[in-house]
Amino acid sequence: GAVVSQHPSWVICKSGTSVKIECRSLDFQATTMFWYRQFPKQSLMLMATSNEGSKATYEQGVEKDKFLINHASLTLSTLTVTSAHPEDSSFYICSARVGGTAFFGQGTRLTVV
Amino acid sequence: QKEVEQDPGPLSVPEGAIVSLNCTYSNSAFQYFMWYRQYSRKGPELLMYTYSSGNKEDGRFTAQVDKSSKYISLFIRDSQPSDSATYLCATDSGGGADGLTFGKGTHLIIQP
């Protein structure tokens, strides 16, 4: 299957700082990537759809100024959590669609202290 | 009513047993059906992918989709301790432009 690589796999940051998470499609081009958040023992919740060369589309209730998404190339999308707070601590996962299915990155565990 | 319902479990079975995991969905527009396996603190891994109704088999795994009853299933034969994970069903209607709709995930435990 297609490979999606996400980096870093875990990060700890201080409250008030910003954190950038990268998502790369390694063996295919992805004009659209998706960012999910997952809390413990919960399912994946779609946060936003990242579109190459245009603005991201955010799901209702997701603050676009806090979660900045950039999709500058066909193989790279980034999610920046700005002014992070402890309640932003979660597992963030990116994915890219290939035909009717989707492949996921390894996920990034963010802990804000 | 949520779009995809899935019993979160946990479901505990002995090694070697046949495991049956199920989801129901409400949106008749869904055409694509997937099962993902997720180990703790890892991203979901695609196990099975089915378009429309029918069965699909891959090794020890069989996926079934019954669109008339809006019911999707995953069967695991000869279950192994390494199959212990959370299994997520996912659906989609458009085939590429949207994020998937996930069930809550079933936590499966295979007892040695």
Side-chain angles (χ1 to χ4, degrees):
Chain A
V3 178
V4 176
S5 177
Q6 189 173 340
H7 178 81
S9 58
W10 62 271
V11 58
I12 301 173
C13 71
K14 291 185 177 181
S15 186
T17 62
S18 296
V19 172
K20 180 185 284 187
I21 302 169
E22 292 187 348
C23 180
R24 296 181 183 272
S25 56
L26 296 187
D27 50 0
F28 65 102
Q29 293 182 331
T31 55
T32 303
M33 290 186 177
F34 303 90
W35 288 95
Y36 294 82
R37 182 165 54 182
Q38 187 178 34
F39 291 105
K41 299 187 178 181
Q42 298 292 318
S43 189
L44 283 75
M45 298 300 297
L46 181 65
M47 297 175 64
T49 301
S50 169
N51 303 298
E52 188 268 335
S54 64
K55 291 183 178 180
T57 304
Y58 291 83
E59 296 298 301
Q60 190 173 10
V62 177
E63 299 176 60
K64 61 180 181 180
D65 294 331
K66 168 172 270 299
F67 300 100
L68 299 180
I69 290 173
N70 183 276
H71 195 151
S73 77
L74 289 171
T75 59
L76 175 63
S77 174
T78 61
L79 169 68
T80 301
V81 183
T82 63
S83 187
H85 290 284
E87 57 265 31
D88 298 324
S89 299
S90 188
F91 193 56
Y92 294 87
I93 313 172
C94 68
S95 87
R97 298 296 299 266
V98 178
T101 188
F103 294 90
F104 288 82
Q106 305 95 316
T108 298
R109 181 160 301 281
L110 170 63
T111 302
V112 184
V113 298
Chain B
Q1 182 187 8
K2 294 182 180 178
E3 287 203 286
V4 180
E5 298 276 1
Q6 184 177 10
D7 186 339
L11 174 62
S12 183
V13 301
E15 182 176 358
I18 296 175
V19 176
S20 173
L21 303 168
N22 309 290
C23 291
T24 58
Y25 64 95
S26 57
N27 189 342
S28 58
F30 288 144
Q31 297 282 349
Y32 300 86
F33 305 92
M34 286 139 277
W35 283 95
Y36 288 87
R37 177 174 61 195
Q38 186 177 25
Y39 292 111
S40 181
R41 304 191 179 201
K42 300 291 184 183
E45 170 194 8
L46 180 66
L47 277 179
M48 301 290 285
Y49 162 57
T50 310
Y51 173 72
S52 195
S53 284
N55 295 355
K56 188 172 185 179
E57 185 175 325
D58 184 2
R60 297 186 294 112
F61 299 91
T62 300
Q64 287 185 352
V65 176
D66 182 346
K67 291 189 68 180
S68 63
S69 58
K70 298 187 178 67
Y71 196 81
I72 56 179
S73 302
L74 177 70
F75 298 96
I76 306 174
R77 294 184 298 280
D78 188 24
S79 56
Q80 306 293 314
S82 58
D83 294 328
S84 299
T86 296
Y87 290 80
L88 298 140
C89 61
T91 63
D92 182 48
S93 58
D98 302 315
L100 301 179
T101 301
F102 282 91
K104 200 170 185 177
T106 298
H107 182 206
L108 174 66
I109 302 169
I110 308 297
Q111 303 166 337

